[in-house]
Amino acid sequence: SVKEGGRHGFRFHDADVEADLHQRVTLIEELHEAITKQQFVLYLQPQIDTHSCQLVGVEGLLRWNHPEKGIRGPGDFIDVAEDSGLLLDIDGWVLQDACRQMRAWHDQGVMRQATISVNLSTLQFKTSDFESNVLAALGRTGLAPRYLELEITERSLAERPDEVAAVMQRLSAKGIRFSIDDFGTGYSSLQYLKRLPVSKIKIAQEFIRDMMSDSSDASIVRAIISLGTELGHDVIAEGVETKAQLEFLQQRGCHLFQGYYFGHPQPASELTERLRRVAGSDGKWPVCT
Ligand code: C2E
Ligand code: MG
Ligand code: MG
Ligand code: MG
């Protein structure tokens, strides 16, 4: 249940189902408005290859610029958006905006080989027009398919493995890439790794967070790196915040990273400035060791 103050400033008791429902309804109304008034913003976070010090990817992360509360992250609204079905519209916008942004960077000459990734919800895979929506977003923006990466969770894979696999095979044949997000937190991961067209697996942040003090987490991280690498996938560590974590992972064979240490998610205008400076300095990302 939602524990923050409601619209009228008072706090709802957890057990107060009616107030909770009221707050939910209010949030749904606000989300409808957010869609029509275009209050969503895509924040972008860099992914770095420390072998080459190049930017290899950018992940698009949804933010809601709420008229009163300011910038809100997905944790504040994504569950309600998903339950109400509104997430489908929102994710459609995200897909389109990510493609548009990448195309703009290409046109500005500040981006080379990097991919742009978006997070897919489990809802999206269930819609019959998912595939055509992806292709339409590429068509409208003129972005070549190889620059687009779709992040899926083990949850989507587990729910309808055959349909999801078929969609992935078809999109992958067109050049679109796939990554598995939060890898290690879902089910039967090994099946997917073997038979699906996955180019990248993302080690879940929860393993990275404690790996330096928790030896089980360290073992899991090491196992994911060697499994992924041996099966021919790129393995990227999420949520890397410190140099110590970076070195710990590098010693275990990881060279792809995403996390605050390399850069926070930021609005396109800010990242564009950074990309301009990078393009002017041999294409090397400023934080690499
Ligand atoms: P995710 O896809 O696993 O994204 C990574 C999350 O970790 C992001 O949280 C990012 O801001 C955060 N993060 C990145 N580096 C660090 C770090 O070094 N330390 C810490 N503590 N956190 C870091 P965010 O943006 O709040 O997104 C949360 C989740 O919401 C995402 O997890 C993804 O599952 C979902 N999400 C985000 N954008 C979208 C979207 O457009 N559509 C859908 N369906 N889901 C989205
Ligand atoms: Mg993600
Ligand atoms: Mg993740
Ligand atoms: Mg997540």
Side-chain angles (χ1 to χ4, degrees), residues 154-227:
E154 291 167 288
R155 201 177 122 215
S156 323
L157 290 171
E159 276 181 21
R160 315 173 114 211
D162 296 336
E163 277 130 304
V164 169
V167 172
M168 284 176 71
Q169 299 291 1
R170 285 196 297 271
L171 287 176
S172 151
K174 295 217 155 69
I176 293 154
R177 303 176 199 212
F178 287 89
S179 59
I180 303 186
D181 205 354
D182 303 332
F183 185 81
T185 59
Y187 307 98
S188 6
S189 342
L190 304 184
Q191 279 288 348
Y192 320 139
L193 278 193
K194 210 183 99 179
R195 59 187 195 109
L196 294 181
V198 170
S199 61
K200 203 189 258 173
I201 64 180
K202 306 187 75 178
I203 309 174
Q205 192 174 314
E206 59 181 90
F207 301 124
I208 306 294
R209 196 189 311 121
D210 299 324
M211 68 185 175
M212 307 205 42
S213 54
D214 182 327
S215 64
S216 311
D217 283 344
S219 301
I220 290 170
V221 165
R222 196 171 47 217
I224 295 175
I225 294 168
S226 51
L227 177 73

Side-chain angles (χ1 to χ4, degrees), residues 1-138:
S1 65
V2 186
K3 285 176 204 115
E4 279 187 359
R7 174 178 262 187
H8 307 291
F10 53 81
R11 285 189 159 263
F12 296 110
H13 191 273
D14 255 349
D16 193 339
V17 176
E18 217 171 300
D20 210 49
L21 185 66
H22 171 78
Q23 198 173 37
R24 241 180 124 76
V25 169
T26 305
L27 182 54
I28 292 173
E29 283 168 3
E30 287 185 325
L31 284 169
H32 269 290
E33 207 174 294
I35 293 170
T36 55
K37 294 191 175 166
Q38 305 188 330
Q39 293 167 356
F40 293 106
V41 194
L42 204 58
Y43 273 38
L44 301 138
Q45 186 177 32
Q47 300 177 333
I48 307 301
D49 181 346
T50 54
H51 276 169
S52 61
C53 296
Q54 299 284 319
L55 179 81
V56 289
V58 168
E59 179 174 5
L61 294 158
L62 181 63
R63 297 292 180 266
W64 176 9
N65 192 1
H66 190 281
E68 288 125 42
K69 296 171 185 159
I71 297 289
R72 303 175 79 187
D76 292 342
F77 59 88
I78 207 142
D79 289 345
V80 170
E82 177 154 24
D83 292 346
S84 62
L86 290 172
L87 191 56
L88 269 182
D89 289 323
I90 300 170
D91 279 339
W93 175 83
V94 168
L95 181 65
Q96 167 77 24
D97 200 58
C99 294
R100 180 200 58 73
Q101 183 59 60
M102 194 50 142
R103 178 61 209 259
W105 280 328
H106 285 167
D107 291 345
Q108 292 161 23
V110 293
M111 190 68 94
R112 282 188 256 167
Q113 290 307 312
T115 53
I116 190 153
S117 65
V118 296
N119 294 280
L120 298 183
S121 62
T122 47
L123 282 179
Q124 270 171 300
F125 262 124
K126 292 181 188 165
T127 59
S128 53
D129 53 2
F130 169 68
E131 224 174 308
S132 56
N133 285 345
V134 172
L135 298 173
L138 290 168

